[in-house]
Amino acid sequence: MTSVDLRIFTEPQQGASYDDLLRVARATEDAGFDAFFRSDHFLAMDAPGDPGPTDSYVTLAGLARETSRIRLGTLVTSATFRLPGPLAIAVAQVDAMSGGRVELGLGSGWFEAEHAAYGIPFPGLGERFDRLTEQLEIVTGLWRTPPGERYSFSGAHYTLVDSPALPKPVQQPHPPVVVGGGGKRRTPALAARFATEFNVPFMPIDGAAAQFERVDAACAAIGRDPAELVRSVAHTVCVGRDDAEVARRAEAIGRKVDDLAALPTAGTPAHVVDAIGTWRERTGATRFYLQVLDLSDLDHLELIAAEVAPQLR
């Protein structure tokens, strides 16, 4: 079996401070995981959310200076939250601060309530995808512009005139770009044009396989080799040494064991290794984002690193 990367993925809007995230990021690095990612949300979902949201790029900038090996990124930044020019600057700066370890996940945005809560405009779905398309073109265009040259862009939503296209990221031609989601037409097309990695979040195995096939077809349609794209999935993680420990961890995150049973990332280590292997064979996914919901349970990360990750390399 081809080796599989395991990445830790957090949802800090549910209730986490920067110090909480720093502790988990350091544990992620110490345990040998490939990367630490975070969601880009400003409002908790079915939770109080105390002490409040943290900004993705403020967080990643801090973590860039406090870690040395793990890759850092968002799954995924909402295109409604930031203008593309300043976004390109922020990500390039974090890339420099980390020594070339940042990745940009970028999506259309979907959570209307958080936009209302913090005064962020929330256009209709079609316009959000139009804006996402322009943002992907602008951000990668700024990064790809050769030093000393200028970049201009004229679109329906954004216009850039004679930009010096600075700063340049450390990673060349630019940091990896993650596109993902379940859209059947525009999402695969955007991935084929712009993405380094395509992510299918929280989807059953048959749906994930079908979505990866759509991305392959979109790549073929523009003459791109689908093998250039990393295939990844995201699922809630709940691993225990035995069934009792799995049940305890499920209860701690407000889930029932039966509700997690279909996930490839829930169960005993042996079960999870087998399930991930099945997903690898059926979908071609070589990267798994483990959504960690209990950030206080660092033993959980150590268990996965010791008893799951080595079996997947």
Side-chain angles (χ1 to χ4, degrees), residues 11-273:
E11 301 271 7
Q13 78 279 355
Q14 297 300 97
S17 66
Y18 171 75
D19 286 340
D20 295 327
L21 296 174
L22 174 59
R23 185 173 58 254
V24 177
R26 284 174 167 165
T28 296
E29 182 159 273
D30 291 344
F33 289 101
D34 176 64
F36 175 91
F37 271 57
R38 58 156 294 161
S39 61
D40 189 21
H41 284 296
F42 292 126
L43 191 68
M45 304 160 198
D46 301 318
D50 297 339
T54 50
D55 180 84
S56 289
Y57 293 100
V58 172
T59 298
L60 294 179
L63 297 181
R65 306 304 291 177
E66 298 285 352
T67 59
S68 61
R69 180 188 57 79
I70 51 173
R71 299 193 66 78
L72 302 165
T74 55
L75 202 66
V76 295
T77 288
S78 173
T80 56
F81 290 171
R82 298 168 181 87
L83 297 172
L87 176 61
I89 292 170
V91 177
Q93 183 178 5
V94 176
D95 198 42
M97 293 171 71
S98 67
R101 293 184 285 126
V102 77
E103 304 186 10
L104 171 64
L106 191 60
S108 63
W110 62 271
F111 190 21
E112 185 173 6
E114 71 185 340
H115 292 74
Y118 287 96
I120 304 168
F122 187 72
L125 181 61
E127 182 177 330
R128 296 202 308 276
F129 264 94
D130 292 343
R131 288 179 176 272
L132 172 61
T133 302
E134 291 189 18
Q135 287 214 7
L136 285 165
E137 187 161 339
I138 291 166
V139 171
T140 58
L142 286 167
W143 288 339
R144 286 178 178 272
T145 299
E149 296 188 12
R150 299 278 170 158
Y151 177 81
S152 296
F153 177 87
S154 180
H157 302 286
Y158 307 104
T159 299
L160 285 74
V161 180
D162 202 26
S163 172
L166 296 173
K168 298 301 183 193
V170 172
Q171 298 174 89
Q172 289 296 316
H174 56 70
V177 174
V178 184
V179 172
K184 295 182 179 180
R185 184 177 61 88
R186 296 189 72 174
T187 299
L190 288 176
R193 285 183 62 193
F194 298 108
T196 311
E197 173 184 335
F198 186 77
N199 179 264
V200 177
F202 312 112
M203 192 178 291
I205 190 168
D206 289 341
Q211 187 67 342
F212 286 132
E213 289 175 0
R214 294 185 189 101
V215 173
D216 289 349
C219 286
I222 64 170
R224 183 180 183 186
D225 181 359
E228 293 177 3
L229 271 174
V230 175
R231 297 184 180 201
S232 68
V233 298
H235 285 291
T236 303
V237 67
C238 185
V239 180
R241 295 171 180 84
D242 52 34
D243 291 343
E245 190 169 75
V246 174
R248 177 178 63 78
R249 285 202 162 103
E251 182 178 8
I253 61 174
R255 302 287 181 86
K256 296 180 179 179
V257 172
D258 290 346
D259 296 336
L260 298 173
L263 304 183
T265 50
T268 62
H271 174 80
V272 169
V273 169

